[in-house]
Amino acid sequence: MSPASPMSETRHDWQVDEILELMGRPFNDLLFAAHTVHRAHFDPNAVQVSTLLSIKTGACPEDCGYCPQSAHHEVELERERLLPLEEVLEAARNARSHGASRFCMGAAWRNPTDRNLERVIEMVEGVKQLGLETCMTLGMLTDTQARRLKDAGLDYYNHNLDTSPEFYGQVITTRTYQDRLETLAHVREAGINVCSGGILGMGESRRDRARLLQQLANLPRHPESVPINNLVQVEGTPLAGTEALDPFEFVRTIATARILMPASYVRLSAGRTDMHDELQALCFFAGANSIFYGDKLLTTPNPGENHDRALFERLGIHPLEHSDEGASCETCGGVDIHAA
Ligand code: SF4
């Protein structure tokens, strides 16, 4: 494949060997190809900015090996019940005044009960009225629940695949890969934009990273938003102590995601606090064009807003007002959140 050939293609039939070939190219060749695709679909100096709020923290019945919110792990974490509506709206107003265009809300549930769903629907409606895009991550959804959220005006739903189907069982045992694919299908069928990605640095191989990207790129429609997280190692979680991923491997994965899903927003998500500014700049060049603002993700730290603002200024990057600016094809429209 020539460096220019992926530019015009939006494919859903990627073979893992093709993806491995891309990922394994000389670094400069891969970055050149990815940046060329990026420029063809987006303003290369614009980055979409979201803010994330944990609306219900901790005591999650799932056993995701990276997550401090799992009730299966011995992690010091202050648990919280579902936040009151007014508190959520106050946080959303604050996010808006700091330049966020999307407000993401995450709850540590296996799935929402119908009663809880009614409460989060009030949140979606209230945040929409503030003029912000809305995103939620609530665990697994039925088709009916997805439709209820769509009717309430939800713009995005985050549900990550996390890793390859082969490596998945070493990270999570309480829900299957197929469960995740089904939730993604319900969200898509309801007409909500899909946000789905994964976590790197969990001890997986390059092939696992390629297989994760293959799963995402070969969905019937590419997710509008693809968060790529770098594992934040939290003491007390099973994955604490995992050997850190080579940062260039992280950039290679971002670049490959950009080529495979040319019109999707590729989000630099959890793990940014451990990245130098230079590495983040390289990720933006490789095709990342979305971040979270704010000093905390769901439970793990994030660079402060002032730091991000200063970095944007140094790089001549400006925040996008709405995420459909700049996208120019198929997926027009556009967490870890769950990993954040
Ligand atoms: S990642 Fe989500 S589903 Fe998994 S334990 Fe954490 S909060 Fe629960």
Side-chain angles (χ1 to χ4, degrees):
M1 191 184 300
S2 73
S5 66
M7 280 181 56
S8 53
E9 294 180 45
T10 299
R11 292 176 46 191
H12 302 268
D13 61 351
W14 287 93
Q15 302 300 307
V16 71
D17 289 342
E18 289 178 285
I19 301 172
L20 283 168
E21 187 278 319
L22 276 172
M23 284 178 118
R25 286 184 182 187
F27 193 70
N28 287 340
D29 291 349
L30 173 59
L31 257 65
F32 176 70
H35 190 72
T36 306
V37 171
H38 190 48
R39 270 184 185 265
H41 290 84
F42 290 101
D43 173 350
N45 301 310
V47 168
Q48 189 275 329
V49 174
S50 299
T51 293
L52 178 58
L53 176 71
S54 178
I55 56 171
K56 185 266 170 187
T57 305
C60 182
E62 304 292 297
D63 70 349
C64 309
Y66 49 80
C67 183
Q69 302 207 63
S70 167
H72 296 256
H73 315 322
E74 300 283 327
V75 177
E76 271 186 42
L77 180 74
E78 205 169 317
R79 296 170 178 189
E80 284 171 5
R81 289 180 174 279
L82 189 58
L83 294 182
L85 176 63
E86 196 36 55
E87 212 171 302
V88 174
L89 295 183
E90 188 51 42
R93 279 185 213 105
N94 193 31
R96 186 183 58 180
S97 71
H98 286 86
S101 59
R102 190 179 309 157
F103 191 67
C104 307
M105 295 160 268
W109 288 321
R110 175 174 167 79
N111 53 267
T113 60
D114 288 341
R115 186 162 161 266
N116 281 333
L117 195 75
E118 295 312 313
R119 290 188 59 195
V120 298
I121 277 172
E122 289 176 3
M123 296 175 188
V124 172
E125 290 167 345
V127 173
K128 288 284 281 186
Q129 277 170 14
L130 298 175
L132 286 160
E133 291 181 320
T134 51
C135 176
M136 287 218 149
T137 183
L138 312 170
M140 294 187 284
L141 289 185
T142 64
D143 51 351
T144 313
Q145 289 178 323
R147 281 199 303 274
R148 280 286 290 129
L149 286 165
K150 172 65 183 173
D151 292 345
L154 184 69
D155 297 298
Y156 287 81
Y157 193 80
N158 164 266
H159 200 64
N160 289 335
L161 290 179
D162 283 358
T163 188
S164 69
E166 295 75 22
F167 191 69
Y168 182 85
Q170 296 192 41
V171 181
I172 299 128
T173 66
T174 48
R175 73 171 77 154
T176 65
Y177 212 81
Q178 188 55 34
D179 289 333
R180 291 185 185 244
L181 290 169
E182 278 167 22
T183 290
L184 290 182
H186 294 152
V187 170
R188 180 57 85 202
E189 280 156 19
I192 301 170
N193 291 310
V194 171
C195 172
S196 186
I199 308 169
L200 314 186
M202 298 196 293
E204 78 286 345
S205 64
R206 178 182 281 181
R207 189 178 185 85
D208 289 313
R209 291 187 280 281
R211 286 277 290 146
L212 165 67
L213 294 181
Q214 183 189 28
Q215 299 298 314
L216 295 166
N218 289 353
L219 288 170
R221 194 168 156 185
H222 294 163
E224 282 74 12
S225 171
V226 180
I228 304 287
N229 299 276
N230 200 12
L231 176 68
V232 178
Q233 302 203 6
V234 180
E235 211 48 56
T237 58
L239 291 182
T242 306
E243 193 181 337
L245 185 71
D246 174 3
F248 291 125
E249 195 62 24
F250 188 86
V251 181
R252 282 181 182 278
T253 311
I254 295 269
T256 309
R258 168 50 65 226
I259 294 169
L260 265 52
M261 294 167 278
S264 302
Y265 281 80
V266 175
R267 173 175 294 159
L268 210 47
S269 296
R272 276 203 308 127
T273 34
D274 295 333
M275 290 180 197
H276 292 300
D277 289 348
E278 298 86 329
L279 179 59
Q280 292 192 53
L282 210 47
C283 289
F284 292 137
F285 185 80
N289 60 347
S290 173
I291 61 163
F292 282 118
Y293 249 1
D295 56 11
K296 201 164 100 170
L297 296 177
L298 287 176
T299 60
T300 55
N302 199 40
E305 281 168 23
N306 288 342
H307 189 94
D308 283 334
R309 234 179 272 277
L311 179 60
F312 274 20
E313 219 163 281
R314 287 164 74 202
L315 300 177
I317 283 176
H318 58 270
L320 265 187
E321 302 239 320
H322 287 287
S323 59
D324 55 1
E325 290 175 37
S328 59
C329 68
E330 183 206 47
T331 55
C332 179
V335 214
D336 147 329
I337 294 182
H338 252 56

